[in-house]
Amino acid sequence: KILAIKTIRIEGYGQIAYQNGGGNISTSPDAPQKWVDVPEYEKIIDLEHRRMRVRQRQHNHFVFASIDGYLGRNVTVAALDGDVAYNVGADGRAVRSAANAAAARRIEMLAHPVTLVRAALEQRARVSNLRSEAALDLVDVVTAEGDKLTLAVDRASRLPAWITWTARNENLGDLTFRIHFTAYLPVKGVMLPNGFNTVIDFRNISQNKLYVDANTVDVEIPDLAAPAQVRAATPPAPTTPMVEASSVAKGTWLLTGGGGANSVLFEFADHLTLFELPTSQAWARALIEKAQSVVPGKRVTEVIVSHHHFDHTGGLRYAIASGLTFIALKGNEAFFREIAGRKSTVDPDAIGSTPRPLKFK
């Protein structure tokens, strides 16, 4: 029955952790999480052709969100056709996404009991390391495409309990995701979950919750094939961030160009100080290089960070690896040390497999 299924449609609603769990209001792990509501969610999986489409409407409750997000008009459509990832805009135009988006969406398609069991049963897949953990049987799966996941099966019910995998995260290095399946009900003779809860291994934050209103199997679905012009298009390649520096006072420059995430450069007698290294590690590197070209002969030695949210700490791991000293409120220190202590072995970043000591004032 599992192998005979051709299509699955999942309809429901849920919540997404703001900034992937890095937007809670305090550095305390007990702080309440900010959520983005998803009042409408639909995932269609074309198992026969290895295609998927996820359409969701998001409602941001915080006042500084975009007007569309605040009013719940923010609709996203993300699709996958084999190794081609693409997005569909509000005008109906499809645009190809980067190669890393295709890899992430392939994992998203596998993060379902039916799709992973089918992938594990493929001839080219590798299944190994059968072991027990509490009331579960675990097995590691490497799919035909090389994706690595672990499947846990409840020993009593024989139903998949959860799936876990590890991916690169800009702020946290290696980040392990675990998606729990609950509330199984039969659909055309196949048991399907009605609850999905994705938890990350950073402070055990629930990152994504999906409550299923309806599971349907082998019903008519739209054609999810990537349009010809999308398939023919070259995936967008990563670009080198360009930083603009403008003098605003003696020894002070405004650094811009990072999609609205600005920084400030201060010149002192024997060193340079940056205020904010936000967004990403690539942007942090570009900021540091630009700062040192604006004031030749002096090095950036420290960075002032306003607060801990992930959009303000995207460059921390690069700055830590570069030996910069961090200046921030004392309450941020433990949070920053957690970031410094996390390894990065999946597509390694500046810290890689060797955690670096944090210099903090």
Side-chain angles (χ1 to χ4, degrees), residues 9-286:
R9 185 196 300 265
I10 303 167
E11 298 171 276
Y13 62 97
Q15 291 177 306
I16 301 171
Y18 178 55
Q19 293 181 14
N20 295 320
N24 50 331
I25 61 174
S26 167
T27 53
S28 167
D30 298 320
Q33 183 59 252
K34 286 184 178 178
W35 293 100
V36 176
D37 281 345
V38 182
E40 295 177 16
Y41 178 94
E42 179 192 60
K43 176 189 281 187
I44 301 174
I45 304 174
D46 182 346
L47 294 156
E48 189 175 15
H49 300 100
R50 297 177 182 270
R51 295 169 182 160
M52 177 187 71
R53 187 185 75 187
V54 176
R55 180 188 182 278
Q56 54 186 328
R57 179 166 66 86
Q58 297 181 3
H59 184 183
N60 303 335
H61 292 285
F62 24 91
V63 294
F64 56 85
S66 68
I67 188 65
D68 283 343
Y70 187 63
L71 296 177
R73 297 196 300 248
N74 186 18
V75 177
T76 62
V77 179
L80 178 70
D81 180 3
D83 59 353
V84 176
Y86 63 99
N87 298 328
V88 181
D91 58 358
R93 189 169 69 95
V95 178
R96 185 157 184 172
S97 303
N100 59 353
R105 289 178 196 176
R106 192 168 61 244
I107 291 289
E108 185 176 3
M109 186 164 61
L110 286 169
H112 187 280
V114 170
T115 53
L116 185 58
V117 168
R118 287 171 61 106
L121 291 172
E122 289 188 6
Q123 187 173 0
R124 291 184 297 154
R126 301 197 306 274
V127 181
S128 62
N129 195 20
L130 176 65
R131 58 200 184 276
S132 296
E133 180 180 295
L136 301 172
D137 288 331
L138 277 60
V139 69
D140 297 330
V141 179
V142 181
T143 68
E145 291 78 15
D147 300 310
K148 300 177 181 179
L149 305 95
T150 295
L151 168 65
V153 176
D154 184 277
R155 198 173 297 120
S157 69
R158 308 309 302 161
L159 292 170
W162 49 256
I163 292 169
T164 189
W165 70 95
T166 302
R168 183 186 190 274
N169 181 272
E170 197 70 18
N171 294 75
L172 301 171
D174 290 347
L175 187 62
T176 299
F177 299 79
R178 179 172 293 185
I179 182 166
H180 297 265
F181 309 120
T182 60
Y184 277 89
L185 290 173
V187 180
K188 291 189 176 180
V190 178
M191 300 295 286
L192 297 179
N194 282 263
F196 295 77
N197 183 27
T198 305
V199 178
I200 58 177
D201 72 339
F202 175 72
R203 297 186 167 186
N204 202 36
I205 291 173
S206 180
Q207 191 196 45
N208 191 306
K209 302 176 182 179
L210 173 61
Y211 307 89
V212 178
D213 288 325
N215 279 309
T216 51
V217 172
D218 290 340
V219 296
E220 186 175 350
I221 62 169
D223 184 4
L224 304 184
Q229 71 273 16
V230 171
R231 181 167 288 280
T234 302
T239 57
T240 302
M242 300 300 294
V243 184
E244 298 292 332
S246 56
S247 176
V248 294
K250 183 180 179 180
T252 306
W253 292 263
L254 177 66
L255 306 181
T256 61
N262 301 329
S263 295
V264 179
L265 168 64
F266 298 110
E267 179 187 5
F268 292 92
D270 60 352
H271 71 280
L272 303 175
T273 298
L274 281 167
F275 175 71
E276 303 286 35
L277 277 179
T279 310
S280 70
Q281 296 181 53
W283 180 237
R285 178 177 181 175

Side-chain angles (χ1 to χ4, degrees), residues 18-34 169 171-172 202-203 205 275-279 304-316 326-339 360:
Y18 178 55
Q19 293 181 14
N20 295 320
N24 50 331
I25 61 174
S26 167
T27 53
S28 167
D30 298 320
Q33 183 59 252
K34 286 184 178 178
N169 181 272
N171 294 75
L172 301 171
F202 175 72
R203 297 186 167 186
I205 291 173
F275 175 71
E276 303 286 35
L277 277 179
T279 310
I304 303 167
V305 181
S306 63
H307 66 290
H308 66 285
H309 285 172
F310 276 4
D311 55 339
H312 287 259
T313 58
L316 253 69
F326 289 85
I327 302 171
L329 293 172
K330 181 66 176 176
N332 292 286
E333 183 176 2
F335 188 88
F336 290 176
R337 290 198 184 281
E338 280 187 77
I339 292 177
F360 187 89

